Amino acid sequence: MKLYTKTGDEGMTSLCGGKRVSKDDIRVESYGTIDELNAHIGLLKSYLQSSSMSNIRSGEQNQQDLKSSIVSFLEDVQKELFVIGGELAKDNSTLSKLPSVASLVIRLEGKIDEMMMSIPAQHEFIYPGGSHMSAQCHVCRTVCRRAERRIITLSKIAQIPENIFPFMNRLSDYLFVLSRYLNIKTDNSEKTWENACR
């Protein structure tokens, strides 16, 4: 079987269920941006697996265990992004709940709270950057926010499972806190923008 079907050569694609729509349809934009986010998280995992986290305080997990724990959690996130992408790709979405997505929201909150205990309070905007993996967290965060905006636009014309919105919001928060946490673990100082909007 050949990889290419040629059915999309004129700018159309099929949703789950068979309905044909333009490739720039807001539904395609929504699940396509989820796919883009998933790919960026894959790159983040690669950076984590090849990185060194030298600033591990006494009594904490060793470096390898810490990296493995984060990578494992990101893989769970990726699985849920496939669930969400599949739901958004349906041409007859319903308001049904997605239990696995709701469960992961709770886990995201736990991970955020846990990391927040290890990082200093934030009083200014932080420039994206630092280590490769921290910078990639910011790329993931901004793509996550764009995916959220696309889904909100879609929700104005279609039904969206209610669990998706808190998941996208919390995932962006998690990626931001993870970027700070990883910079601290790699001894990268945070650079702040002090001219905050007031």
Side-chain angles (χ1 to χ4, degrees), residues 51-67 70 118 133 181-187:
S51 71
S52 172
M53 287 189 276
S54 59
N55 189 21
I56 305 293
R57 290 190 295 272
S58 176
E60 290 190 305
Q61 293 170 290
N62 67 45
Q63 182 183 136
Q64 194 57 46
D65 286 347
L66 181 58
K67 289 195 297 184
I70 297 170
S118 301
M133 53 192 175
Y181 181 78
L182 292 173
N183 264 340
I184 289 168
K185 291 298 181 186
T186 52
D187 288 323

Side-chain angles (χ1 to χ4, degrees), residues 105-170:
V105 169
I106 296 171
R107 291 178 63 200
L108 282 164
E109 291 172 350
K111 295 291 185 183
I112 291 169
D113 292 343
E114 185 179 315
M115 289 187 290
M116 288 293 289
M117 292 189 292
S118 301
I119 60 180
Q122 176 194 352
H123 300 291
E124 296 90 16
F125 287 105
I126 296 170
Y127 285 107
S131 67
H132 283 139
M133 53 192 175
S134 292
Q136 182 61 21
C137 280
H138 282 287
V139 174
C140 292
R141 173 184 61 81
T142 55
V143 175
C144 183
R145 285 299 188 197
R146 178 155 50 86
E148 183 183 25
R149 294 193 298 271
R150 297 293 184 268
I151 294 167
I152 288 170
T153 300
L154 175 61
S155 73
K156 295 175 181 176
I157 60 170
Q159 293 183 318
I160 303 294
E162 59 186 42
N163 303 117
I164 291 178
F165 296 108
F167 175 81
M168 298 304 296
N169 195 25
R170 217 66 82 250

